């Protein structure tokens, strides 16, 4: 079983605590007094802020507290943005019309808040045209510079020359 992140009831080892919660008088009391108050209500004494002087403890139902905390974490996780990387593939002999067509797609991806991975794939003997691939990616970067910015340098991985572009506009 996973260790609980909060100390409860008899796990609290300090002499005085700052007591908060419903149906209790907020203030600094002894740990034993706080335990008695929690016991009278049939609830738990939970250490909320252990680093405070004195530590803050709350009189609540611990299982309900854990449930609500998990629910909050799940909501935050659902709201967190997920980065999507869209790929645009070129060949070393890609002509101007195809470059324009793929640039339109890249601009749409960037405006939607996605990253773009543009790469030139070298088939067979086309690996000797690395200079063409580099020039093609430079032209591509110039065409989309008002919509996104290039991250880092172009790099070669195996038979691919890769460049990443991140959007300028904030994600929607």
């Amino acid at each position: 079983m996973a260790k609980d992140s909060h100390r409860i009831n008899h796990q609290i080892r300090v002499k005085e605590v700052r007591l908060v919660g419903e149906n209790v008088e907020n203030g600094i009391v002894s740990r034993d007094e706080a335990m008695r108050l929690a016991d009278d209500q049939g609830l738990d004494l939970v250490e909320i802020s252990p680093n405070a002087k004195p530590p803050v403890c709350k009189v609540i139902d611990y299982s309900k507290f854990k449930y609500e905390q998990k629910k909050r974490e799940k909501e935050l996780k659902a709201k967190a943005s997920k980065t999507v990387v869209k790929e645009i593939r070129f060949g070393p002999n890609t002509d101007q019309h195809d470059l324009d067509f793929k640039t339109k797609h890249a601009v749409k991806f960037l405006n939607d808040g996605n990253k773009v991975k543009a790469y030139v794939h070298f088939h067979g003997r086309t690996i000797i045209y690395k200079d063409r691939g580099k020039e093609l990616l430079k032209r591509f970067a110039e065409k989309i510079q008002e919509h996104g910015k290039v991250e880092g340098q172009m790099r070669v991985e195996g038979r691919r020359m890769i460049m990443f572009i991140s959007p300028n506009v904030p994600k929607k």
Side-chain angles (χ1 to χ4, degrees), residues 96-155:
Q96 189 61 41
H97 177 265
D98 291 337
L99 178 65
D100 294 340
F101 185 78
K102 291 183 179 190
T103 301
K104 285 181 190 174
H105 284 287
V107 167
K108 182 184 177 301
F109 295 149
L110 290 168
N111 288 339
D112 289 344
N114 299 317
K115 283 188 175 185
V116 173
K117 175 182 177 182
Y119 65 93
V120 179
H121 186 76
F122 299 98
H123 293 285
R125 292 183 182 165
T126 62
I127 196 79
I128 62 173
Y129 299 119
K130 284 188 180 178
D131 55 330
R132 286 187 194 174
K134 195 172 207 171
E135 183 60 36
L136 183 71
L137 287 178
K138 280 183 183 176
R139 283 192 323 216
F140 178 73
E142 287 171 11
K143 284 180 171 273
I144 61 164
Q145 76 184 48
E146 62 188 52
H147 301 282
K149 65 177 190 290
V150 177
E151 291 182 352
Q153 295 288 323
M154 284 183 242
R155 62 181 189 273

Side-chain angles (χ1 to χ4, degrees), residues 13 17 27 42 68 77 109 145 154 168 170-171:
R13 297 281 180 216
V17 296
E68 287 173 354
K77 192 175 178 182
F109 295 149
Q145 76 184 48
M154 284 183 242
N168 285 341
K171 196 164 184 180

Side-chain angles (χ1 to χ4, degrees), residues 6 20-21 33 35 37 74 76 78 81 107 111 121 127 133 137 152:
H6 300 281
V20 295
E33 177 67 17
M35 287 287 299
L37 286 168
K74 193 175 180 182
L76 287 175
S81 64
V107 167
N111 288 339
H121 186 76
I127 196 79
L137 287 178

